[in-house]
Each structure stands twice: as structure tokens, then as C-alpha cells.
Amino acid sequence: MAAKFGTSGLRGLVTDLTPDLVAAHVRAFIASCDVGTGLFVGQDLRPSSPRLAADIAQAARSMGVTVTDAGSVPTPALALAAMSQGAGAIMVTGSHIPADRNGLKFYTPQGEITKAHEQAITAALGTSAENPVSETNPLRRNDTAGPDFVARYLQGCGTGRLAGRRIGLYSHSAVGRDLLAEILTGLGAEVTELGRSEHFIPVDTEAVDPATRTQITAWVAEHGLDALVSTDGDSDRPLLADETGRIVPGDIMGQITAEALQAEAVVTPISSNSGILHKGVGRVLRTRIGSPYVIAGMEELGGRVAGYEANGGFLLGFEARGPAGPLPALRTRDCILPLIMTLIAAGDAPLSRRVAQEPPVVTVADRLQDIAQEKSGPLIRDLSENPAARAEFLAALDGAEGSCDLTDGVRMTLQDGRVVHVRPSGNAPELRLYVEAQQEEAARALLAAGLAHLRHIL
């Protein structure tokens, strides 16, 4: 996986993320984008993250920028801290990808960078350092990003909102694990920590692997849990399981959270559950996959707008009212808000009952790993351009095409209403498959058949 700059910032193998490459992108970011009062730097718990954070700080200070080290914090906590000080930020994280890879996420004082910012950064590559690093520009330290992040949710939701609920926390190597435990405890829940690891574990909350699903189900039963929560590596994507151990899809959490916060407009990618179209929201805009596209859509709609991705990362575009107080806007992926708002929305009833109240549309997703875009590209082009190729592909799944959407990848709606959506990942050597049906059994059968057919083709 050669280092690549795009939708999720800069990502690649750790061996490819050299000090020179990191410095080039940091200098280009500073030269082409507003960083306001300075630059905040945060990191996840990967072994390579401290070195990359140091490379970022060195490069930024060489440009005369004031750098604040926020330490190991969740991506949304870093963004919140930086924006509150009118500063830019860079988060060192590879999110859910393995530990031999890492990346950088970029933020202006207004929030996550846009596609226009990406283009400007690319054009500015080659910018040289302005000054040698000097002791007159020392590295600062911030120790309040975590506590301020916790306070945001306790003030907005109120202590005691989850009183009496037994919540498991699969903490693994998520950077936000301790803050999430503090938030849940502050809301009154009885928290049981499970699976803590000092070695990095890549957890993809959108495509939870079978072994992890089995472990979650066992933990829920063993400890008599009302729910189990977790996050990905940089804690901007949520994972939630109900009292039976069944995973609650991220976009379902998004639907519930948008409704609970009384959003009047919702922006979500084309891969998200289409049940949002049946929720009575005033305006729904479906975009290409990736938070920059969601953010652009939120700017287009304006007003009381919220955004979320199929992975559950929730973007709040207005000052909302929580159960106990205000929840200020935070226009970057956040895992905490959808987790706690979904749990609160369940009330004293089983979580599965609240989830069952959503429109009867089931989406599931998975991926084929180690599939380079050079390999998947020809397949995607053929399916995009050739109706006969789509017909042949769907025939292997006992289906026939009703319509096709090329917003991002190839999303085929079958004549019986099921959906098959094939798309290469934009930031990893993976081919993703999203499917939709009215019943979970049918959706999972379609997903398994689709993955098997893709393996055969490739």
C-alpha cells in the first residue's frame, strides 16, 4: 500500500511515511490552508504514531507555526479542542487498518478539510521550510482535550441517563477507550471493560469480522449485558451490540440520533441504509462515500442539518439540544454521540426493541482485503459501463437489475428490491460490498453469495 493522499488524508505503510514525506504534506497543508492560531497534534495508540507526531511537530515549527501536543486522544476530541482555540489540527491515525500502516488526518479551525482543501494541499507539495526550529517556538502541551470531550456529553445528556444499564466496553486498543468508559459511567451506567489490549488491534466497525462477532455475543451472555460498545482505532466510528449480542448497524444509529436531536435535514452516503428516506425527515441528501462529501452536502443544505456515514460516524452541523442541555456543533465524525443517543433512546426497554422500530430495511457490508485498485478497477469499470456485465453478475446472485446508481462505485437495485453495491475502498487495498434487503437473513445470504462471486471473479 503505497502512501496516498485523498479522502482520509495521507495514508500508507509506515515504512513509506518517511519524515520527508510527512514534512512535505504538513508544509503543504500550512501553506495552502488556514490553521488559525496554530496547530494541534494528536495520535492513536499504534506503535508508529509517536514518531509521526514528532515529525509533524518538527515540520510545523519549521514553518513558524505554534504547535500544541494533545497526546493520545480520539480524533473528534482533538478536533473539538483545536476548533475551540481557533486552531488547525493533524491527527496521526490509520483508523481501522492494520498496525503496519498509518496516516494523517487534517483539520482547519472550521473542521475537517474539504475536497477543495485536498486539491490545494496537493498543489502546494514542494513548499520548503521557512525557518529552522528554534527554542523561541517551543512545543506546547494540552491536557484538557480529553476532559473537555467528556464534559461535552455529560453536560448535554445529564448524569443518570443510563442508570441501571449494564454496558460492556470492548476497549481493545482504541484511543478513546478510557474516555468512553468515563462518559458511560458519568451517565450512570455500570461499565464492564473487556478485551483491553496493549498491542494494536485493527477493528473495522463497519465490517465486524466473524470471530469478533462471536466474542461479543459470548461477552454479552456471560456478563448479562444490556449492550456492548466499542470504537475503531481513533475512536470516531462506533460499534454497538444489543442485549443479544447482535451488532446495531452504524447507519441505524445515525437514523436514531438524527431523530433524537430533531435534525430537519440529513446528509448520508449512498451506501447508508435507505430507511432514512422513510423517517419523515424534511430533506435527505445522499452523497459519494467519505466525510468530505458529507460535509459538502451539509454546507449545501444548511440549517438544522446532521450527517452520518454507514460506519456510524456522526457529524452535527447545528447546536442541538440534548436530554439535559446544549450539544454544540461538531462537524467531524464522532462515535460518542450515536452510541449514547441510541442507548438513551431505548429507555428502560431492551435496545433491540428500539432498533426494531426503525423502517424494515437491513444493510450489511463486508470486504475482500488485499485487493489493489489495479485489480478491482477493471471489474468496476466493466460493471459501470456494460449492462450485460451487470446482468451476468446479478444472475449469479439469482437477481435481475431494476436500476443502477453510479454515484460511488456500482449500486445495483434488483427488481425484487434488494441492493448490491460494489466499490473499491478509497484508502485501503480492499473491495467493499454493501447489500440491502428487507430481512437480515436475506441480506446476509446475499452478502455471502456476493463475496463468494467476487472472490471467484478476481
Side-chain angles (χ1 to χ4, degrees), residues 39-87:
L39 186 73
F40 277 55
V41 180
Q43 58 184 278
D44 67 12
L45 299 180
R46 295 165 187 268
S48 60
S49 291
R51 190 269 290 176
L52 292 170
D55 291 343
I56 292 167
Q58 177 83 2
R61 291 171 67 200
S62 75
M63 296 287 286
V65 172
T66 299
V67 178
T68 301
D69 177 13
S72 298
V73 293
T75 295
L78 175 69
L80 182 68
M83 286 188 283
S84 70
Q85 298 299 314

Side-chain angles (χ1 to χ4, degrees), residues 421-443:
H421 183 179
V422 185
R423 171 187 176 269
S425 170
N427 51 45
E430 301 172 348
L431 183 63
R432 288 192 174 266
L433 177 64
Y434 311 84
V435 305
E436 187 170 287
Q438 286 194 323
Q439 291 83 31
E440 181 167 357
E441 183 177 351

Side-chain angles (χ1 to χ4, degrees), residues 382-403:
D382 195 25
L383 291 175
S384 300
E385 300 169 0
N386 189 349
R390 295 197 297 272
E392 181 179 354
F393 182 87
L394 294 176
L397 305 178
D398 297 323
E401 182 180 318
S403 63

Side-chain angles (χ1 to χ4, degrees), residues 1 368-380 424-425 428-431 458:
M1 178 183 176
L368 298 181
Q369 296 178 286
D370 298 317
I371 305 293
Q373 290 195 15
E374 292 79 9
K375 191 173 183 180
S376 61
L379 170 64
I380 298 299
S425 170
E430 301 172 348
L431 183 63
L458 297 171

Side-chain angles (χ1 to χ4, degrees), residues 175-317:
V175 71
R177 55 193 179 183
D178 295 333
L179 298 181
L180 179 52
E182 188 175 348
I183 291 167
L184 292 170
T185 301
L187 292 173
E190 178 185 336
V191 178
T192 302
E193 186 182 30
L194 301 160
R196 190 181 185 94
S197 174
E198 298 310 312
H199 302 285
F200 188 80
I201 299 174
V203 173
D204 187 344
T205 63
E206 189 177 1
V208 182
D209 63 82
T212 301
R213 287 177 179 272
T214 298
Q215 181 62 78
I216 287 172
T217 301
W219 276 332
V220 168
E222 178 184 354
H223 297 281
L225 301 175
D226 295 306
L228 180 143
V229 301
S230 189
T231 78
D232 63 342
D234 66 320
S235 297
D236 68 347
R237 306 179 185 188
L239 189 155
L240 176 64
D242 67 16
E243 76 283 356
T244 71
R246 177 174 293 181
I247 303 296
V248 179
D251 42 16
I252 297 298
M253 283 187 265
Q255 292 177 187
I256 293 172
T257 303
E259 180 179 39
L261 297 177
Q262 299 181 340
E264 296 173 354
V266 167
V267 182
T268 193
I270 191 69
S271 58
S272 293
N273 189 297
S274 62
I276 188 63
L277 301 173
H278 308 289
K279 291 279 288 182
V281 177
R283 294 171 294 172
V284 176
L285 177 62
R286 306 186 80 186
T287 71
R288 292 185 63 185
I289 297 169
S291 51
Y293 298 108
V294 175
I295 290 170
M298 292 171 67
E299 291 177 342
E300 177 184 337
L301 294 187
R304 295 179 61 85
V305 62
Y308 62 83
E309 297 187 272
N311 56 45
F314 196 90
L315 301 91
L316 184 60

